[in-house]
Amino acid sequence: MSKLLYLILIFAFLVVGFVFGAINQQLTDVHFLVVKLQLRVVDIAIIFLITGVVLGLLIAAWLSMARRTKNWFKPTAEKT
């Protein structure tokens, strides 16, 4: 049941994304430090979405690895 709910949710997000992409076709200027680009609004939204997903995955992986390797370098108490 939960897999079906996830599939419906993913499908709904895809439909909303396609509608957003179809509506926002106008061009806008994007000014970086030394570069000026002319991109569609939907392209800018996709760039920021992908950047956010990648940063979120990198931070989650880093925190997970830090949690798993927390006690690797601590010296163990020797039994005498």
Side-chain angles (χ1 to χ4, degrees), residues 43-79:
D43 295 334
I44 297 169
I46 289 172
I47 289 170
F48 281 111
L49 177 69
I50 291 172
T51 303
V53 168
V54 168
L55 283 175
L57 289 175
L58 286 174
I59 291 171
W62 179 68
L63 290 174
S64 176
M65 187 172 55
R67 186 176 44 105
R68 289 182 185 179
T69 61
K70 189 165 111 178
N71 295 324
W72 277 14
F73 298 111
K74 288 186 180 178
T76 57
E78 294 182 30
K79 294 181 181 180

Side-chain angles (χ1 to χ4, degrees), residues 31-36:
H31 299 277
F32 294 108
L33 291 176
V34 293
V35 178
K36 177 182 168 186

